Amino acid sequence: MDTETHELIVGYALDALDADDRARAEDIFARSDEAREELRSFGGVVTALAVGVSGHAPRPELRERILSAARAEPSNVVPLEARRRSRLAPALGAAAAVAAVAALAVGLWGASLSTELDDTRSALERERAAATLLADPSTRTVDLRSGDGRLVVDEAGQAVLVLDDLEAAPPGKTYEVWVVDGDEPIRAGLFDGGRAREVVPVEKSVRAGTQVLVTVEKDGGVDAPTTAPVVTSARV
Amino acid sequence: MRRFSTVLFSDDAAAAAPARPTWSMRKHLAHLSEEALVALVARGDEAALAELYDRVGGIAYGIAFRVLRDERLAEDAVQEGFLAVWRSAAAYRAERAAARTWIVTLVHRRAVDLVRREERRRADPLELVPRQEPPDPAGSAEDEAWLGFERERVQDALRLLPDAQREAIELSYYGGFSQSELAERLGLPLGTIKSRMFAGLARLREVLDEAEGSWTPRLTS
């Protein structure tokens, strides 16, 4: 990169560019890894400059004002069509997804330290796969009709249940995941629960029109549900 | 086999499901990175937005207040910045900036847009050293102690810069002046301003990195 580009990147990082220079910088970031890298390398010092003048607290009501305003906005979720189009712009999206997955995996790693090492390894693998799915912008979110959390499904029918506040299964029991196609529940994995946030890959394909549910069953699971579901998704 | 269809497709189940309690959600988000929180915000997760505000809102307000010198305007800038986070989280590019930097930048940009519209500031004399008002308690004692330490470290690092470089950085980042406005106000060639800014920020990065390996903002929860 030439001196002019270095200077442009610093001007951008400090928000010191006029509109036309800002557009020129955006242009460079869109096509140069090196330029993006350099911008990122100045991120810490720019945040430090902000920290350097911190100390004044906003009034407490600002928090609720912002959340109310966000709530009042139409959904911020990008429509599926727009996402599909944006997927055609490959490199950027992919790199962002990888970074998001890495970030998520680190978070999940912390949550899985309490399990045994082997369990942790396979749990981490499963969680990596789950995190990849969660970070994919083309997936969609399906609400739960009962239980606290959501179901995330990609176009190929791979799915992850994200469950909050599900207490650990009682001794001798396990949670069993089911995919219900018509009237037929199909076994789709076991888990123990008990974490603040449980990320559970659904081991069977989740197609349009099916539902995912979770029941409490005896250890090792059963062939067909024997109890009322504790988690029920809306129809996919 | 038990038949589920009636139970599963009934809307009564949805009506009976309790509304998600935002406060109990928050503790589940505490272990997530800010990048992961932005990914959740992109999915419309309001609790994740609240968590990001709790972590970054104070710093964002600090810089907005420094640029605008007015509480109401600073709050407006913070609000607009966080709404931009809410709207454009899906467009966040992790390879360009840490999530925290991205949020601070969005708020700073709002503040700069506002101050460039303010005729009042145009008449102010140029001020070279940021005036440090005594801090108000912004969060927990621990957060305050950390912020106090960081504040001092950054100000020490700024003092190590040659005056001309420090002036260029402070007037642009804290004063909201663009490179061309600065050149005009200081009566210097635009190229001089640009090269001072670059040399100053590169030096600052070096000083802050030296002190701590690499400057990583602590994740508060």
Side-chain angles (χ1 to χ4, degrees):
Chain A
M1 283 188 294
D2 54 13
T3 309
E4 199 198 335
T5 308
H6 285 297
E7 290 175 354
L8 193 69
I9 292 170
V10 162
Y12 185 90
L14 286 170
D15 250 336
L17 299 182
D18 297 310
D20 49 344
D21 275 346
R22 198 187 277 181
R24 208 153 57 84
E26 292 277 3
D27 236 32
I28 293 172
F29 295 132
R31 54 190 160 74
S32 163
D33 283 345
E34 200 188 345
R36 285 195 293 273
E37 182 86 4
E38 171 132 332
L39 177 63
R40 198 183 157 90
S41 79
F42 281 113
V45 66
V46 170
T47 311
L49 282 173
V51 171
V53 290
S54 63
H56 272 264
R59 291 177 303 156
E61 50 265 40
L62 180 61
R63 184 182 194 273
E64 188 45 42
R65 212 174 94 191
I66 288 170
L67 294 179
S68 304
R71 222 172 282 139
E73 297 233 331
S75 165
N76 66 342
V77 177
V78 184
L80 200 56
E81 272 312 304
R83 283 175 178 173
R84 284 208 183 103
R85 279 198 301 276
S86 75
R87 282 185 105 192
L88 295 176
L92 283 186
V98 167
V101 168
L104 214 49
V106 168
L108 293 168
W109 171 258
S112 59
L113 280 182
S114 58
T115 58
E116 310 253 336
L117 188 62
D118 282 353
D119 284 359
T120 304
R121 265 196 207 118
S122 71
L124 192 64
E125 274 312 304
R126 291 201 313 162
E127 282 163 353
R128 275 213 185 103
T132 307
L133 194 71
L134 290 179
D136 180 349
S138 74
T139 57
R140 66 192 187 93
T141 304
V142 177
D143 289 338
L144 300 186
R145 290 187 171 178
S146 65
D148 197 359
R150 73 202 86 177
L151 176 70
V152 179
V153 188
D154 78 2
E155 289 162 355
Q158 288 185 295
V160 169
L161 266 173
V162 181
L163 301 174
D164 296 319
D165 271 341
L166 191 63
E167 52 191 44
K173 304 277 189 190
T174 182
Y175 288 107
E176 185 150 18
V177 183
W178 307 90
V179 176
V180 184
D181 198 352
D183 279 349
E184 199 69 29
I186 303 160
R187 302 181 67 174
L190 305 173
F191 67 100
D192 295 331
R195 294 182 192 165
R197 169 162 284 182
E198 196 79 39
V199 178
V200 186
V202 179
E203 293 171 7
K204 289 287 173 348
S205 174
V206 175
R207 291 176 312 170
T210 61
Q211 273 183 299
V212 172
L213 56 141
V214 175
T215 60
V216 178
E217 305 295 350
K218 66 175 190 212
D219 258 346
V222 292
D223 290 335
T226 64
T227 63
V230 291
V231 171
T232 308
S233 78
R235 211 196 289 242
V236 174
Chain B
M1 175 188 298
R2 188 174 166 151
R3 299 274 156 174
F4 279 93
S5 46
T6 340
V7 180
L8 300 185
F9 296 116
S10 153
D11 282 328
D12 294 348
R20 172 177 300 163
T22 304
W23 279 102
S24 86
M25 276 288 296
R26 285 209 47 233
K27 67 177 187 293
H28 307 149
L29 299 174
H31 70 283
L32 287 180
S33 70
E34 284 157 11
E35 287 71 22
L37 288 170
V38 172
L40 288 174
V41 169
R43 295 185 165 278
D45 192 321
E46 190 192 313
L49 184 71
E51 177 74 17
L52 282 174
Y53 177 80
D54 292 342
R55 293 193 200 180
V56 190
I59 294 171
Y61 178 81
I63 186 61
F65 183 80
R66 180 63 186 80
V67 172
L68 290 158
R69 323 277 182 89
D70 179 291
E71 287 171 11
R72 296 306 153 104
L73 287 174
E75 287 184 357
D76 287 349
V78 173
Q79 176 166 349
E80 285 178 33
F82 272 86
L83 285 177
V85 170
W86 179 248
R87 290 179 199 127
S88 61
Y92 164 65
R93 298 283 173 257
E95 74 273 22
R96 290 195 197 181
R100 169 172 293 225
T101 304
W102 180 62
I103 295 169
V104 168
T105 299
L106 285 173
V107 171
H108 182 261
R109 186 162 298 171
R110 278 355 178 243
V112 166
D113 287 346
L114 283 172
V115 85
R116 285 183 189 166
R117 270 186 245 143
E118 286 280 300
E119 285 306 312
R120 188 158 52 88
R121 188 210 61 169
R122 305 286 161 181
D124 277 356
L126 292 181
E127 199 184 331
L128 302 190
V129 180
R131 190 178 51 217
Q132 191 57 54
E133 294 85 355
D136 300 331
S140 70
E142 190 203 342
D143 285 350
E144 260 315 290
W146 176 80
L147 276 181
F149 172 79
E150 285 301 319
R151 225 171 8 238
E152 211 164 291
R153 206 164 74 83
V154 173
Q155 286 168 3
D156 286 349
L158 274 169
R159 274 192 285 271
L160 291 177
L161 296 184
D163 287 347
Q165 292 176 11
R166 187 174 66 242
E167 175 188 66
I169 287 175
E170 290 183 349
L171 288 175
S172 64
Y173 197 66
Y174 296 146
F177 289 95
S178 72
Q179 291 175 332
S180 55
E181 286 174 330
L182 273 186
E184 195 179 318
R185 291 202 63 136
L186 298 175
L188 291 166
L190 184 56
T192 305
I193 296 294
K194 287 180 178 176
S195 64
R196 282 181 185 177
M197 226 174 249
F198 174 74
L201 203 67
R203 175 77 185 123
L204 205 54
R205 179 179 61 180
E206 203 179 294
V207 171
L208 290 170
D209 279 356
E210 260 170 25
E212 205 182 283
S214 88
W215 199 91
T216 38
R218 192 192 67 157
L219 302 181
T220 60
S221 56

